[in-house]
Amino acid sequence: MVERSRYYLDFEKPIIELEQKITELEGLAKKEKLDFKEEIKILQSRLKNLKESIFANLTPWQRVQLARHPERPKPLQLASFIFEDFLLLHGDRLYGDDQAIIGGLAKIENEGIVFIGHQKGKSIKENLSRNFGMAHPEGYRKASRLMSLAEKFKKPVVTFIDTPGAYPGIQAEERGQAEAIAANLEKMARLETPILVIVTGEGGSGGALGIGVGDRILMLENAIYSVISPEGCAAILWKNQEKVEEAAEALRLTSQDLMKLGLIEEIIPEPLGGAHKDIEQTAINIKQAIIRNLSELKDLTLPELLEKRYEKYRRIGKFKRK
Amino acid sequence: MGWFERTYNRIKRSKKKVDIPDGLWTKCIKCGEIIYNKKLEENLRVCPQCGYHFYIGARKRLEITLDKDSFREYDSVITSDNPLNFPHYEEKLEKSRKETGLDEAAIIGEGRIGGKSIVVGVTDYGFMRGSMASVVGERITEAVEKAIEKRYPLLIISGSGGGARMQEGMISLMQMAKTSAAIARLKRERLLYLSLLTHATMAGVMASFASQGDIILAEPGALLGFTGPRVIKQTIRQQLPPGFQSSEFLFKHGMIDLIVKRDEIRPTLIKILNLILPGF
Ligand SMILES: [Zn+2]
């Protein structure tokens, strides 16, 4: 069944139109009891080709749009497919309960883990309470508290990244946005349990990194991860916010680019047409990646794990020798 | 980001404007006082009238912080590449090299403060606004590792308004994780890490090693924070409160231990080292 999308990107338009045509034809066949099997088969194969040709040649900016797609599955939704059991926990024990970062206990293949993720909203209303997935310091401090819990009970940590960035606001600064992120970087570097990081949507700079240091960094195929938004980069570099396509290109923010740069360990494939076209399949792909990576990390002794984590980051950097 | 650019340009421009006629005088950015340059230098580039702390480069900073002639710079064989082939990056690097006489935005080495050996790193706001990319991240990490190896205390003086340097993309962002991992090791070894914040220290640097000091000091009136004020203003569409993101603002909110005037920094560091280090 092809569901009618409520929202689509410009480059998705021909796909959506063809999908609608197929739906109409199927409806007509049913209603009029006519046999359109051959016609539908032809259209479906045309649809597959169309998707393949569009998605084989995505530009970095198109991937940015996919990563931010309003219908893209968000961490909580993915978690509901991936984990057999799941309990959200709340609050940083210091100030509040930031809705832009969620976390709690979960089970995958009967193995207990601590799950942490950014959470954007799906509707305007939800986005207001989730602050569009942009966390305040209390979000990072909630994550920190949950990581301590994971460490104490020897549970691996799995984090899902999907944020435009840490929230740029007065209260966020007053409560120490920089300190909260810095503290997490330090903590995650030495946390005595495996950490698996998966960028599922938008990896927005320091706000993403604040729950993003780990033993392995994975990215969904169309996720992005960038030091600055393409809009911000365009404004600085070309003094023109509309040069986003050039900026997206220059920043090397796609999963493919980051794999080539050696900054991530693995790309998790998405269903044809993007994660939002088949959320369940996306979740299955993520689940398999989690199970495999955690079982590999479990084979390491704690000193090995921590040494490898240190070395992984220690090697990052590209320079010339004088 | 433009905001910092403007601040720095203003510093340079105003220096030029007033310096050029006879090179003897500087007009204070804050109070407008015309200061005799020799007097300004003697006063560690702090306005005698209002206490405004002018920018000083990394070399000068080391000179006024460490015991006389005690600094020994660590040889660095690395220099910035352009790993992403980012537009205009080489030109920007070249310009900063010319302006500061430095090869990159960080200098590391060791020296003594009040006779006590210490590893020290400085980031220079004058070099691409002290932003951190591969070389800065690598040098800071090397400094931390040297401190661990020698079991010396570590002092990092940050002037990094540029945060993680855009031109090296995610490689820059990952330097935050790399330096933080090194600091975490240093702390596990129970070695002292002092962080001194100067104008300006923001974003990726403020959200990594600069905020991780066992003790955090700041010069008065420095701009310190995570997101730049211009971006915050654009996002919330409100006037920012006076003094927002200044050292004094952070102090009030419990983010730093002490605000220390430039001429008090050396005695304060000596005092801390004396109070915290064993022996002697
Ligand atoms: Zn003055």
Side-chain angles (χ1 to χ4, degrees):
Chain A
M1 250 292 284
V2 179
E3 270 181 56
R4 208 191 138 116
S5 280
R6 281 159 302 181
Y7 180 96
Y8 57 84
L9 304 167
D10 278 350
F11 66 90
E12 288 182 299
K13 202 176 170 197
I15 296 171
I16 304 288
E17 282 171 356
L18 197 50
E19 281 174 349
Q20 279 171 358
K21 209 179 256 173
I22 294 170
T23 312
E24 276 165 26
L25 206 54
E26 280 169 345
L28 193 66
K30 215 174 175 184
K31 201 174 142 204
E32 307 288 333
K33 298 194 168 50
L34 294 169
D35 183 10
F36 287 138
K37 270 197 199 105
E38 273 310 304
E39 289 83 348
I40 289 172
K41 223 172 124 187
I42 291 166
L43 286 180
Q44 269 166 344
S45 112
R46 203 193 289 167
L47 177 66
K48 188 164 171 279
N49 290 338
L50 183 66
K51 278 188 187 172
E52 276 168 358
S53 76
I54 291 175
F55 276 77
N57 298 301
L58 288 177
T59 66
W61 175 242
Q62 285 173 326
R63 289 200 201 270
V64 172
Q65 291 174 293
L66 278 172
R68 294 172 177 172
H69 201 299
E71 310 227 329
R72 191 171 179 82
K74 308 290 185 281
L76 266 182
Q77 192 181 8
L78 290 168
S80 73
F81 279 105
I82 295 167
F83 303 124
E84 292 120 52
D85 207 356
F86 187 33
L87 179 68
L88 283 178
L89 299 173
H90 295 275
D92 68 346
R93 303 295 185 269
L94 295 162
Y95 180 83
D97 183 38
D98 193 333
Q99 299 294 305
I101 287 185
I102 49 111
L105 306 170
K107 244 182 194 161
I108 183 166
E109 292 263 283
N110 229 22
E111 199 76 58
I113 65 150
V114 165
F115 170 70
I116 297 167
H118 296 101
Q119 185 67 23
K120 295 179 182 177
K122 280 225 152 183
S123 61
I124 301 259
K125 195 173 157 237
E126 200 198 346
N127 256 326
L128 289 178
S129 71
R130 300 271 179 211
N131 203 25
F132 298 86
M134 294 185 283
H136 280 74
E138 45 273 25
Y140 296 103
R141 290 174 185 140
K142 170 162 73 179
S144 167
R145 184 213 130 208
L146 292 172
M147 286 185 248
S148 297
L149 191 70
E151 187 174 49
K152 181 172 176 184
F153 293 102
K154 306 254 169 283
K155 308 288 184 204
V157 174
V158 176
T159 75
F160 283 5
I161 303 230
D162 187 14
T163 180
Y167 186 63
I170 294 174
Q171 288 77 21
E173 296 292 318
E174 283 177 348
R175 299 200 285 272
Q177 189 74 285
E179 190 280 340
I181 293 171
N184 278 12
L185 303 189
E186 207 183 314
K187 179 168 200 146
M188 296 182 97
R190 63 176 156 77
L191 198 77
E192 297 188 348
T193 192
I195 306 174
L196 184 60
V197 175
I198 303 174
V199 187
T200 61
E202 203 179 356
S205 195
L209 192 66
I211 58 166
V213 176
D215 300 296
R216 305 237 170 122
I217 316 299
L218 281 46
M219 280 178 82
L220 272 181
E221 190 181 338
N222 296 313
I224 56 151
Y225 200 173
S226 185
V227 69
I228 185 171
S229 71
E231 290 85 350
C233 173
I236 292 166
L237 205 62
W238 289 282
K239 314 277 178 237
N240 181 353
Q241 285 231 13
E242 276 153 38
K243 295 263 186 188
V244 286
E245 291 179 39
E246 290 90 332
E249 177 96 42
L251 286 165
R252 303 280 188 270
L253 46 65
T254 66
S255 62
Q256 297 77 11
D257 279 334
L258 296 172
M259 190 83 192
K260 268 184 230 147
L261 288 168
L263 299 177
I264 63 167
E265 275 69 36
E266 192 177 318
I267 296 173
I268 304 173
E270 288 184 26
L272 191 58
H276 60 295
K277 287 286 176 193
D278 190 343
I279 294 170
E280 205 170 336
Q281 187 58 50
T282 305
I284 290 168
N285 296 354
I286 296 174
K287 182 170 184 166
Q288 285 168 348
I290 294 175
I291 294 167
R292 180 169 33 79
N293 279 282
L294 286 186
S295 88
E296 286 165 16
L297 291 171
K298 237 172 51 183
D299 287 343
L300 302 171
T301 65
L302 187 59
E304 281 169 352
L305 181 79
L306 296 178
E307 187 58 32
K308 277 191 177 225
R309 191 184 302 160
Y310 188 82
E311 282 308 316
K312 167 181 148 61
Y313 285 100
R314 185 66 190 84
R315 278 195 302 268
I316 298 178
K318 305 243 184 216
F319 20 70
K320 289 188 278 203
R321 305 260 157 201
K322 279 181 195 166
Chain B
M1 266 178 150
W3 194 92
F4 307 117
E5 203 89 57
R6 273 205 300 281
T7 310
Y8 181 60
N9 285 339
R10 201 161 67 207
I11 294 169
K12 283 189 300 186
R13 223 181 293 128
S14 65
K15 227 167 62 189
K16 244 182 231 153
K17 224 194 278 174
V18 188
D19 278 357
I20 285 165
D22 52 15
L24 284 176
W25 307 91
T26 297
K27 188 178 176 183
C28 177
I29 294 160
K30 200 175 158 198
C31 72
E33 176 83 359
I34 307 289
I35 317 160
Y36 188 37
N37 276 347
K38 202 169 152 240
K39 174 85 184 158
L40 187 61
E41 292 302 320
E42 274 168 20
N43 211 31
L44 308 177
R45 297 186 56 74
V46 174
C47 173
Q49 184 73 20
C50 73
Y52 177 84
H53 283 53
F54 284 82
Y55 159 81
I56 54 170
R59 300 246 172 245
K60 179 81 182 165
R61 174 69 67 179
L62 287 163
E63 188 193 310
I64 67 171
T65 309
L66 299 174
D67 294 355
K68 198 168 188 302
D69 300 326
S70 73
F71 182 67
R72 194 172 62 77
E73 187 171 346
Y74 294 144
D75 284 336
S76 185
V77 294
I78 52 171
T79 177
S80 285
D81 205 346
N82 186 0
L84 307 189
N85 219 347
F86 203 90
H88 313 300
Y89 186 27
E90 280 105 347
E91 295 146 51
K92 289 221 164 75
L93 286 168
E94 206 38 56
K95 187 165 167 272
S96 280
R97 285 183 189 124
K98 280 200 185 114
E99 278 172 4
T100 59
L102 302 174
D103 66 339
E104 247 296 341
I107 301 181
I108 56 168
E110 62 188 63
R112 284 185 305 278
I113 297 181
K116 292 191 167 57
S117 295
I118 192 162
V119 172
V120 61
V122 189
T123 64
D124 192 316
Y125 188 56
F127 194 106
M128 291 190 78
R129 293 177 308 120
S131 56
M132 171 162 65
S134 296
V135 173
V136 172
E138 182 71 13
R139 286 188 186 160
I140 294 295
T141 306
E142 279 172 12
V144 180
E145 288 177 340
K146 260 297 198 253
I148 296 172
E149 181 196 317
K150 299 207 158 189
R151 303 208 61 80
Y152 287 170
L154 172 71
L155 167 67
I156 298 179
I157 306 172
S158 301
S160 290
R165 188 179 296 167
M166 178 177 77
Q167 287 83 353
E168 291 186 28
M170 283 297 293
I171 301 172
S172 298
L173 195 81
M174 290 301 167
Q175 302 306 310
M176 295 168 66
K178 174 163 121 180
T179 53
S180 297
I183 297 285
R185 282 205 160 179
L186 180 92
K187 288 191 185 170
R188 202 184 50 204
E189 296 287 330
R190 298 184 173 226
L191 294 163
L192 176 64
Y193 168 34
L194 303 175
S195 174
L196 170 60
L197 311 175
T198 72
H199 181 77
T201 302
M202 301 292 291
V205 170
M206 192 62 182
S208 62
F209 63 84
S211 285
Q212 292 163 347
D214 293 302
I215 296 174
I216 304 177
L217 315 176
E219 280 197 339
L223 181 74
L224 309 168
F226 184 66
T227 313
R230 192 179 52 88
V231 173
I232 294 180
K233 215 172 147 182
Q234 268 174 9
T235 309
I236 63 171
R237 297 170 194 283
Q238 277 175 43
Q239 242 4 64
L240 301 174
F244 182 62
Q245 296 182 314
S246 64
S247 309
E248 294 73 17
F249 173 92
L250 268 78
F251 182 77
K252 185 181 150 213
H253 290 285
M255 298 301 154
I256 49 188
D257 287 286
L258 296 163
I259 295 175
V260 191
K261 289 185 190 139
R262 196 167 282 163
D263 64 342
E264 284 295 318
I265 288 171
R266 224 179 100 76
T268 305
L269 291 171
I270 292 170
K271 190 167 183 178
I272 292 170
L273 293 174
N274 276 324
L275 286 168
I276 215 163
L277 295 183
F280 296 93

